[in-house]
Amino acid sequence: MITRAPAHRPDMAGNNGRSRIASGDNDAYAKLIEIDGRDDIWTIAFLVDGRHIVSGGEEGKIRRWRVEDGREVGTPMDAGSAVGNLAVSRDGKWIVSGTTGGNVAVWDTVSHSKVTEFNAHRSWVRVVDVSPDATRIATGSKDRTVCVWSLSTGWRLLGPFQHDSCVGAVKFSPDGRLLATATWWRDSIRIYDVQSSSLRIEVPIKVNSALNQSLAWANDGKRLFILSCDGYITCLDVSSGNVSTQWRIHNDRQARCISLPGNGTFIAASAESSFSIWDTTTQKQIGPAIENTPVIVSMAISANNYIATSGGKKISLRNIYDLIPLTYHKDIFPERERALRRTAVQSVILENTLELSSTQDEDPDEKIANLERTVQNLHDELATANGKEDSLNETINSLREDLRVQDESSKRKTMRLEQMVQQLRGELTDSQHKADGLVQMLRAHEQKHQCEALYAEDRISDAAASLLELTNTISDEARTNKLIKNWLVEFTHRCASMLESIGDEASNLIKHDEALAAYSTALYISHAPPNTLLTKWASTMLIRGTVKKALDSAAKFKCPRFVVYRAICDALEGDGRTSEAIEGFRQMQDELGVDTSTHGERVQWECDFRRRCTERIEKHADFALESQDYNEAVKQFSTMLLLDPVNRMDILIKRSKARASMSSWEEALSDADEIIKLDASSHQGYERRHAVLHGAERYTEAAEAFHIMLSKLEESPHEHIQERRCLYVDATLSIRRMVDQTVRYMPRVLIDTTTGRLYDRKQQAAAFEELPIYSELVSSMTTQIDCARIFREVKQFYLYVMLSHKWEQDEPLLQKVENISVYDLEPSLANIKLQNFCSLVRSLGFRWAWSDTSCVDKLNNVVLQESLVAMFTWYRGSSLTIVYLRGVSSKSQRPGGLQRSIWNTRAWTYQEYVAADTVQFYTEDWKLYLGLTLSNHKESPIIIAEMQRATGVSAKEMAVLRPGLDSVREKLYLASSRQTTLVEDAAYSLFGIFNVAIPAIYGEGNRAVGRLLEHILTGSGDVTILAWTGSASSYNSCLPMDLTVYNQLVPPHIPAPIEKAEMDTMVAALRSSLPDLSLAVQLYNHLHDLPSPSLAASRLRLPGIVFRLTDLVCTSDPDPVTNLCVYRATTSTFGEIEIKTADDLLAVDGTTDLCLVHPWIRPLLDQEFSAGAAALDRTTQALRFVVRLGQPFGALLFASVSRVEYRRVAADGLIVVRVREGVELMELMEGIRVIEVQ
């Protein structure tokens, strides 16, 4: 339902269309338009022109209404679910909607068609806004996030920005650089920097609207107005983040909506069912509050000062001009006031003109009669004057005859008479001139009457010929006569109009010759013919004639030559003969020259003509371009350029695109260069240059053009052009970051197999930028970075191959090859090996190779240290590891050569093989081992079998080994049989597989093993490191002297796991035999809480159960070869034990104690965990652990060296002991402690 009331000023009588004032005693009357929105309306927005308004709400449809009469326009737009918010782009092209389903859609304002739609949020999209340049959409949702999207593609550009409540408002600043947000019923107003995605300002203000109604930007973008839920308008200074002003509105209940018009001089705010208008400068209310029937949920102000409010199913429209007092009009509506004054002045002028016209002179016919009488009188005077002249002449002649005989006095008298005659003659000449003028005037009147008579007889052509004769013969004096002058103008117009009508009639009858004759005659007599007449003549003339013929025919026209050209060009253009029109236009410029003025009729027409022809051709050219008819498009664009159009740059851009689509790269590039010449500061020429060069696969030049384009965008003085910079991305930084990240985890130095030169990391990174693929990546990724492709290309380029081998004599070190190519090394066994390796790598398609001999600077401690630690990772990251088997010939086709090879005995090659994912074995003559063609020999059953026999570890167990402090015992077992040239390398070769970073100190000997084991034990807490028998290290007595003692994969020191059934039986028996189960729990808790062993500064803190030895006796003499003695001792826990050691246990003083230690507490706990004991009750866990303590184990022997410190006594064999039956748990509990070991 639409209700419309006529307009009334507040001070006029009548009550039609009354809108009741919410406060005060007076009524105000204003034009009111009410629209029935069909369903509950949640959001409204004006279109840019202010003549239409759109609404959306619960029914899920977006409707468009005409403001003038409130009628619905077009078909509704179906959003699919309830519409929460609407926004209109400033260019008037798009309507953006957000729905309760989380979707955002973009609609065409004219066709109402959906342009794009995407799912923006998981929940209700409560608010939307469009950036000033109509390229981005901001959205806020019930899911507490704000995002920024591309309007054209729906891709997310920024966000999500997390908020702590439902987002109730999002508003772009007028320049689009800032984004303000508000959370519903939470104290949070935020302002984000759109370019950097950073939070600029946050202030604690609570708002009451979730429909984008609580925020409004000032036009200067420096202030943000906020309507808080307690009824205050707050003006926030954006530069400082401080509140500049704040005032209370007319009502503090349900304060929801504010809106700021285009001029920014006032602001409207709503509360409950009324709204008020406020002066933003003085913060004073302008007029009373306006009452609205339903509660207001949405409000908008149009560019032409209409205010709309919505609530329930109704939209109310009012003109603000009708709502505010007259005293404010001058300040708020200055343009409207000036227009009213101009209208008033024009009215006065019109009245005065009408009054003057009513008092003009008498009838023209009477004036003509008077003039004719005057002429007759002058004729009579002329006759009299002629008679007087004859009499004077006779007198003068007579006097001259008498002159000969008269005296001087007579002569003087005669001279005076002659002077009088000259004076009379002068007066007579003036009279004659006046009479001649009057005669010409009479003749003009006679021809005038003749013209009128011919016209009255419908002899229009004859009347025109007579008129033309008159205008050619009339004197200047007659021409200036006001009466004749006015008649000439009037009759010419009348005659020309009649001839034009005759021509029109003939033209309608397709009598073109008659029409042309009539039009031509009309133009012959007209000094300033109307453009329509000229156009008709030109159209008729050009039906059969050419431009040249038309120009020749128009030579007698009295109008300016330019006007003729204009008519011809317009006629050709209107007939669709645009190319001929352009030809005529260029001919005009050749004949008349180029008009260099900046204003005037010709300049205006030329601009319009260029624009029209350009638009006409451009439309056709654009269609051809869109239809992929590139030849036609190029032809049309070239024609447009002949006009020297204003938008020459735009046309060159399109022609360049068309030529590029035809692969006419040089021509397209020429257009791009011409664009650059037109405006070297513009980015557009370089944008086209980049596109063309990229299409021509000239990627290096394309990347250069692209970077120049970016610099032009950044340096532009225009903000809207600078903002376009955010539409592009520069992949250079991303590529370099990816390259740096890749190179960082590669070996520090690699061999370039194409040149044989060494490249450090800086050179490796620079090498990628020299590739064509680098420029292609930069040139390809101008709007979106394809990280996956960058990663793929960078990874492919930096694939490298490692060499695993046994060193030869005189290996080529880094210092030897850093300044030459490896291919230029003098022949030697080691040099040829390196050269063959690099050649093989290159033949396999890899650029980069690494050999530890040439690629590690062993004189640089920092580099050496890094290499020792990172080498495992380098091998793991290689694409292929080539194993060179010196001593293994390709002639042998039987397996076993690998197993027996010297390579399989070296310590360094152990970690190299374990680390590498892909391995190929080559014989000493660089042939594949056993002719195996598998890409990865690790997958060969033959290789797997040989390696398992060589190491004693299955391929499956070896495959799971990773750098770190896990699987410690397995790694030590694999290293136990490996050999090294230097003692220290036995430890240093394990830095990578254990991922330890401790200094490498060549010359320290076996202490290297101690330092390595110290780091492993402290980092892992794996006490099985102490499960060995043999010689002790000088570093700490609990550590072995070398790694050969770890030649057992499962150490016998640790009790073996117990089967479940056996464990259940033993636990049940123990449960029934123990009188106090709590002691078992206490014992278990104490052992469970023991710390892990740690080793620092050669001091070991070892937790365990300590058992003191007594009654020590030696039962044999020392063995003459091994110096071993056998001792017996007694303990209350184990009974009598036997110890075999080279140490003299009796040669200690009386203060030295000997003890056995059970340190395997943590392994036993791990067994319990693996058996699932964690799910059992504490008592059962304790009993199970007591059972495990009762198993036989390998005890460690210690001797005290001070009151608190011990040293381990290295026994030759395993000291296996077992807790005797009947031993009290309390005795075990008393032995729990942490001892310090030297």
Side-chain angles (χ1 to χ4, degrees):
M1 177 183 176
I2 303 171
T3 305
R4 180 181 175 90
H8 290 274
R9 297 296 310 155
D11 54 352
M12 294 176 67
N15 57 5
N16 291 331
R18 177 179 297 183
S19 176
R20 192 70 179 175
I21 302 299
S23 62
D25 299 326
N26 298 324
D27 289 342
Y29 303 99
K31 179 170 63 179
L32 171 64
I33 301 174
E34 290 185 344
I35 301 173
D36 184 353
R38 312 285 176 81
D39 207 336
D40 283 347
I41 296 174
W42 295 348
T43 176
I44 55 175
F46 278 103
L47 297 191
V48 174
D49 60 6
R51 294 183 296 175
H52 295 85
I53 189 169
V54 289
S55 66
E58 191 171 6
E59 68 169 339
K61 295 186 184 299
I62 303 168
R63 299 181 183 275
R64 178 177 174 184
W65 314 89
R66 190 160 51 221
V67 172
E68 181 182 4
D69 54 12
R71 294 186 181 276
E72 186 172 359
V73 178
T75 57
M77 294 161 266
D78 192 349
S81 57
V83 180
N85 202 232
L86 293 172
V88 177
S89 64
R90 294 192 183 181
D91 60 6
K93 294 182 178 179
W94 317 114
I95 301 169
V96 178
S97 63
T99 67
T100 56
N103 290 345
V104 171
V106 180
W107 309 83
D108 189 299
T109 56
V110 177
S111 65
H112 292 191
S113 60
K114 185 186 296 182
V115 177
T116 185
E117 184 174 20
F118 54 92
N119 185 263
H121 295 273
R122 299 189 306 271
S123 184
W124 185 352
V125 178
R126 300 296 302 240
V127 288
V128 295
D129 194 22
V130 183
S131 64
D133 60 1
T135 62
R136 293 164 291 173
I137 302 171
T139 61
S141 173
K142 192 176 180 181
D143 65 6
R144 304 184 178 188
T145 62
V146 170
C147 299
V148 178
W149 313 83
S150 169
L151 185 145
S152 60
T153 64
W155 294 344
R156 186 168 64 195
L157 304 177
L158 299 175
F161 302 124
Q162 194 67 40
H163 290 62
D164 53 6
S165 181
C166 170
V167 180
V170 290
K171 292 286 186 180
F172 279 106
S173 63
D175 59 5
R177 294 185 174 183
L178 302 178
L179 180 66
T181 69
T183 50
W184 189 24
W185 285 105
R186 288 295 177 92
D187 296 340
S188 179
I189 303 296
R190 299 180 183 180
I191 299 179
Y192 291 91
D193 188 310
V194 175
Q195 293 180 337
S196 64
S197 300
S198 60
L199 179 62
R200 284 267 301 268
I201 298 172
E202 182 170 13
V203 293
I205 298 177
K206 186 185 297 183
V207 300
N208 186 27
S209 173
L211 297 175
N212 220 21
Q213 293 288 314
S214 55
L215 303 179
W217 284 94
N219 292 342
D220 56 9
K222 298 179 181 180
R223 296 169 296 160
L224 178 67
F225 292 96
I226 307 160
L227 179 61
S228 59
C229 60
D230 55 359
Y232 279 90
I233 295 178
T234 301
C235 181
L236 182 68
D237 187 325
V238 176
S239 60
S240 65
N242 298 325
V243 174
S244 58
T245 56
Q246 187 179 57
W247 70 92
R248 194 182 192 91
I249 65 172
H250 66 284
N251 192 342
D252 61 356
R253 290 177 305 211
Q254 299 189 41
R256 289 181 176 173
C257 310
I258 58 172
S259 190
L260 193 70
N263 55 28
T265 57
F266 66 90
I267 190 168
S270 78
E272 288 190 319
S273 60
S274 62
F275 66 89
S276 53
I277 302 172
W278 300 81
D279 189 319
T280 57
T281 303
T282 63
Q283 294 83 51
K284 292 182 179 181
Q285 184 171 340
I286 303 174
I290 309 301
E291 188 68 35
N292 208 66
T293 303
V295 173
I296 298 174
V297 298
S298 184
M299 181 166 61
I301 298 178
S302 69
N304 53 354
N305 293 310
Y306 268 88
I307 185 167
T309 57
S310 69
K313 299 180 181 180
K314 188 170 69 172
I315 302 174
S316 299
L317 293 164
R318 299 176 176 86
N319 193 324
I320 297 177
Y321 188 79
D322 300 328
L323 299 179
I324 65 175
L326 290 171
T327 53
Y328 283 91
H329 286 195
K330 181 178 179 181
D331 296 328
I332 297 180
F333 304 107
E335 289 297 329
R336 186 163 181 174
E337 286 297 302
R338 283 195 291 270
L340 288 174
R341 288 177 180 172
R342 283 197 299 270
T343 302
V345 171
Q346 289 169 359
S347 297
V348 172
I349 293 173
L350 180 60
E351 291 173 2
N352 293 337
T353 302
L354 293 174
E355 182 178 353
L356 289 172
S357 65
S358 64
T359 60
Q360 286 182 342
D361 295 335
E362 62 273 12
D363 183 62
D365 290 337
E366 182 65 25
K367 291 183 65 177
I368 292 172
N370 292 334
L371 182 58
E372 290 175 342
R373 284 194 293 272
T374 302
V375 171
Q376 186 59 47
N377 293 333
L378 286 172
H379 271 289
D380 295 341
E381 292 177 7
L382 181 59
T384 303
N386 288 336
K388 289 181 179 180
E389 184 179 13
D390 293 340
S391 176
L392 283 172
N393 287 334
E394 291 177 0
T395 302
I396 290 172
N397 291 331
S398 175
L399 287 173
R400 283 177 177 169
E401 287 295 329
D402 295 338
L403 200 65
R404 300 186 185 98
V405 295
Q406 291 182 353
D407 54 10
E408 287 296 324
S409 61
S410 297
K411 291 182 180 179
R412 286 195 296 270
K413 183 177 180 182
T414 301
M415 290 178 63
R416 285 198 299 272
L417 287 173
E418 286 181 347
Q419 290 175 356
M420 290 176 62
V421 170
Q422 290 298 330
Q423 182 178 357
L424 287 173
R425 283 179 175 173
E427 291 177 358
L428 179 61
T429 301
D430 291 340
S431 298
Q432 286 178 334
H433 286 166
K434 187 174 181 181
D436 290 340
L438 289 174
V439 170
Q440 291 293 332
M441 188 75 67
L442 287 173
R443 291 174 182 169
H445 278 286
E446 290 174 357
Q447 287 180 298
K448 168 196 152 192
H449 289 301
Q450 182 182 2
C451 290
E452 290 288 2
L454 292 171
Y455 186 87
E457 296 174 5
D458 284 338
R459 297 167 59 187
I460 307 301
S461 297
D462 293 336
S466 180
L467 176 64
L468 189 59
E469 180 185 357
L470 171 62
T471 55
N472 290 334
T473 59
I474 191 171
S475 66
D476 293 337
E477 186 176 354
R479 192 184 302 275
T480 58
N481 180 267
K482 185 176 181 181
L483 182 64
I484 297 297
K485 181 179 179 182
N486 290 342
W487 175 84
L488 282 173
V489 172
E490 185 273 332
F491 186 76
T492 300
H493 174 72
R494 184 161 24 113
C495 194
S497 298
M498 181 59 70
L499 287 168
E500 183 177 3
S501 299
I502 294 171
D504 293 344
E505 185 176 353
S507 180
N508 292 334
L509 298 174
I510 319 180
K511 297 179 179 180
H512 300 304
D513 291 340
E514 295 181 19
L516 180 60
Y519 294 144
S520 299
T521 305
L523 290 170
Y524 289 150
I525 65 175
S526 299
H527 288 274
N531 291 335
T532 55
L533 176 60
L534 277 165
T535 303
K536 292 175 183 179
W537 164 81
S539 300
T540 308
M541 184 71 193
L542 294 168
I543 290 176
R544 298 176 182 175
T546 62
V547 174
K548 183 178 184 306
K549 187 176 180 181
L551 290 170
D552 292 341
S553 174
K556 298 179 181 179
F557 292 172
K558 298 176 181 178
C559 55
R561 192 69 165 167
F562 149 69
V563 176
V564 176
Y565 272 108
R566 179 176 64 184
I568 293 173
C569 293
D570 286 346
L572 289 169
E573 180 200 355
D575 199 31
R577 298 156 65 180
T578 310
S579 298
E580 294 178 70
I582 294 173
E583 181 184 350
F585 178 80
R586 290 180 61 81
Q587 187 173 342
M588 179 194 74
Q589 290 186 315
D590 292 339
E591 180 182 338
L592 304 181
V594 178
D595 190 349
T596 58
S597 64
T598 58
H599 61 277
E601 183 180 7
R602 178 181 168 187
V603 172
Q604 182 63 45
W605 174 81
E606 286 186 359
C607 292
D608 291 342
F609 179 77
R610 286 193 180 99
R611 177 185 54 76
R612 293 195 308 271
C613 289
T614 300
E615 289 176 355
R616 183 187 295 268
I617 300 176
E618 188 171 18
K619 185 177 181 181
H620 181 67
D622 288 344
F623 178 77
L625 184 62
E626 185 179 350
S627 304
Q628 300 182 6
D629 187 355
Y630 301 121
N631 282 317
E632 180 63 20
V634 170
K635 177 182 176 183
Q636 295 297 331
F637 287 133
S638 300
T639 301
M640 291 169 62
L641 291 172
L642 296 176
L643 291 168
D644 193 22
V646 176
N647 60 339
R648 184 177 186 83
M649 185 179 293
D650 295 335
I651 298 169
L652 284 168
I653 290 171
K654 293 180 180 180
R655 188 172 73 173
S656 176
K657 290 179 180 178
R659 284 175 165 173
S661 300
M662 299 165 59
S663 298
S664 299
W665 305 117
E666 292 303 323
E667 292 83 355
L669 187 60
S670 175
D671 284 342
D673 291 339
E674 187 174 350
I675 296 168
I676 294 172
K677 290 179 182 178
L678 287 174
D679 188 356
S681 64
S682 173
H683 70 284
Q684 293 177 295
Y686 292 101
E687 184 177 31
R688 282 308 309 151
R689 182 174 175 82
H690 160 256
V692 173
L693 290 170
H694 182 81
E697 298 183 359
R698 293 161 61 177
Y699 299 120
T700 302
E701 297 171 82
E704 180 183 356
F706 175 67
H707 284 130
I708 297 175
M709 183 198 76
L710 294 183
S711 67
K712 298 298 181 183
L713 288 170
E714 293 166 354
E715 295 167 2
S716 173
H718 306 292
E719 291 185 5
H720 69 280
I721 295 179
Q722 293 178 12
E723 290 171 358
R724 287 183 57 83
R725 175 61 179 85
C726 66
L727 301 177
Y728 298 95
V729 295
D730 185 356
T732 302
L733 184 60
S734 297
I735 295 173
R736 288 176 179 170
R737 193 160 42 229
M738 186 68 71
V739 168
D740 292 342
Q741 183 178 354
T742 303
V743 170
R744 187 182 303 122
Y745 295 103
M746 289 168 54
R748 179 183 285 266
V749 175
L750 287 169
I751 303 172
D752 183 349
T753 60
T754 59
T755 63
R757 294 277 185 173
L758 298 185
Y759 277 50
D760 59 22
R761 283 177 176 157
K762 184 177 180 181
Q763 293 168 319
Q764 294 168 26
F768 187 79
E769 296 189 16
E770 298 172 359
L771 298 177
I773 188 62
Y774 168 78
S775 297
E776 181 183 355
L777 290 174
V778 173
S779 180
S780 301
M781 302 175 188
T782 57
T783 57
Q784 186 175 11
I785 294 178
D786 187 349
C787 293
R789 187 186 175 198
I790 294 175
F791 174 79
R792 187 166 61 250
E793 298 291 353
V794 171
K795 190 71 176 176
Q796 180 65 33
F797 176 71
Y798 286 111
L799 296 178
Y800 62 91
V801 179
M802 307 280 282
L803 176 64
S804 179
H805 65 119
K806 180 189 178 301
W807 279 34
E808 316 284 349
Q809 294 293 329
D810 194 25
E811 287 280 355
L813 302 180
L814 180 139
Q815 286 74 21
K816 185 176 182 180
V817 298
E818 63 181 347
N819 295 320
I820 64 171
S821 169
V822 298
Y823 299 124
D824 296 334
L825 292 172
E826 295 181 359
S828 71
L829 198 64
N831 291 349
I832 293 174
K833 177 179 66 175
L834 178 61
Q835 291 168 345
N836 288 337
F837 166 64
C838 292
S839 297
L840 175 62
V841 171
R842 183 175 58 188
S843 69
L844 293 174
F846 296 97
R847 177 166 177 170
W848 305 103
W850 183 89
S851 172
D852 56 349
T853 57
S854 307
C855 298
V856 177
D857 186 358
K858 298 171 180 60
L859 301 181
N860 187 320
N861 289 333
V862 175
V863 172
L864 179 61
Q865 182 70 36
E866 177 200 22
S867 301
L868 293 175
V869 175
M871 199 174 298
F872 188 97
T873 304
W874 292 347
Y875 274 95
R876 175 58 55 86
S878 68
S879 298
L880 173 65
T881 294
I882 290 178
V883 176
Y884 180 67
L885 301 176
R886 174 70 75 187
V888 178
S889 174
S890 62
K891 297 178 181 179
S892 175
Q893 296 300 315
R894 292 185 178 181
L898 169 61
Q899 178 183 344
R900 295 187 298 272
S901 69
I902 191 171
W903 174 87
N904 232 333
T905 65
R906 308 304 295 174
W908 288 104
T909 60
Y910 152 56
Q911 80 156 351
E912 293 165 4
Y913 179 78
V914 170
D917 287 330
T918 304
V919 173
Q920 285 186 341
F921 292 93
Y922 282 82
T923 60
E924 63 180 358
D925 52 354
W926 292 98
K927 301 290 181 62
L928 287 168
Y929 177 65
L930 298 179
L932 295 172
T933 57
L934 286 173
S935 60
N936 187 4
H937 286 180
K938 272 191 166 186
E939 299 173 355
S940 168
I942 299 174
I943 300 296
I944 292 173
E946 288 200 52
M947 290 301 296
Q948 187 165 336
R949 288 193 297 272
T951 62
V953 178
S954 69
K956 182 178 180 181
E957 292 174 330
M958 193 174 294
V960 299
L961 295 179
R962 293 289 184 271
L965 298 177
D966 56 345
S967 306
V968 172
R969 190 72 190 197
E970 289 86 343
K971 295 174 182 177
L972 292 175
Y973 168 72
L974 286 170
S976 64
S977 60
R978 298 284 170 159
Q979 303 171 11
T980 60
T981 302
L982 299 176
V983 175
E984 297 87 349
D985 282 345
Y988 300 164
S989 65
L990 300 178
F991 279 7
I993 199 167
F994 282 110
N995 195 26
V996 300
I998 57 178
I1001 309 172
Y1002 281 100
E1004 65 176 330
N1006 285 327
R1007 286 180 60 83
V1009 172
R1011 290 194 301 117
L1012 172 67
L1013 294 176
E1014 174 186 63
H1015 191 92
I1016 296 173
L1017 179 63
T1018 302
S1020 68
D1022 191 341
V1023 75
T1024 62
I1025 294 174
L1026 308 182
W1028 54 270
T1029 56
S1031 301
S1033 170
S1034 61
Y1035 191 78
N1036 185 279
S1037 60
C1038 257
L1039 301 180
M1041 185 171 61
D1042 54 50
L1043 299 179
T1044 59
V1045 299
Y1046 296 113
N1047 56 3
Q1048 290 178 295
L1049 185 59
V1050 179
H1053 299 66
I1054 302 171
I1058 303 174
E1059 296 294 333
K1060 182 178 185 304
E1062 183 182 359
M1063 175 63 79
D1064 292 342
T1065 303
M1066 297 175 72
V1067 168
L1070 188 61
R1071 191 186 296 273
S1072 61
S1073 63
L1074 284 178
D1076 187 0
L1077 296 180
S1078 64
L1079 286 176
V1081 174
Q1082 291 181 36
L1083 174 64
Y1084 176 74
N1085 289 339
H1086 281 315
L1087 292 173
H1088 187 276
D1089 295 338
L1090 283 174
S1092 297
S1094 62
L1095 184 58
S1098 301
R1099 292 292 186 270
L1100 172 67
R1101 289 178 53 81
L1102 180 64
I1105 305 176
V1106 180
F1107 308 95
R1108 187 178 300 278
L1109 295 181
T1110 60
D1111 303 329
L1112 178 70
V1113 294
C1114 181
T1115 61
S1116 69
D1117 294 329
D1119 185 279
V1121 178
T1122 63
N1123 201 32
L1124 294 174
C1125 293
V1126 178
Y1127 296 90
R1128 284 193 178 88
T1130 304
T1131 68
S1132 60
T1133 306
F1134 308 125
E1136 190 176 88
I1137 63 171
E1138 184 177 274
I1139 303 170
K1140 186 182 290 186
T1141 179
D1143 285 12
D1144 186 0
L1145 300 182
L1146 297 177
V1148 296
D1149 55 34
T1151 62
T1152 301
D1153 292 331
L1154 294 175
C1155 62
L1156 294 177
V1157 176
H1158 186 331
W1160 319 121
I1161 307 303
R1162 186 59 55 187
L1164 293 182
L1165 289 171
D1166 292 341
Q1167 289 180 11
E1168 280 294 287
F1169 181 80
S1170 300
L1176 303 175
D1177 62 90
R1178 198 68 168 178
T1179 300
T1180 304
Q1181 291 177 5
L1183 294 175
R1184 287 170 62 89
F1185 197 77
V1186 171
V1187 169
R1188 293 189 185 278
L1189 288 176
Q1191 292 179 273
F1193 68 93
L1196 304 185
L1197 178 63
F1198 288 88
S1200 64
V1201 295
S1202 67
R1203 185 174 62 84
V1204 295
E1205 291 186 330
Y1206 292 81
R1207 69 174 178 85
R1208 179 175 174 180
V1209 179
D1212 182 64
L1214 196 62
I1215 305 175
V1216 180
V1217 295
R1218 184 173 187 173
V1219 178
R1220 296 187 304 174
E1221 292 186 8
V1223 173
E1224 297 291 335
L1225 296 182
M1226 184 59 72
E1227 184 177 342
L1228 296 177
M1229 201 179 310
E1230 291 174 352
I1232 299 173
R1233 68 187 68 178
V1234 178
I1235 63 173
E1236 301 279 344
V1237 183
Q1238 292 183 353

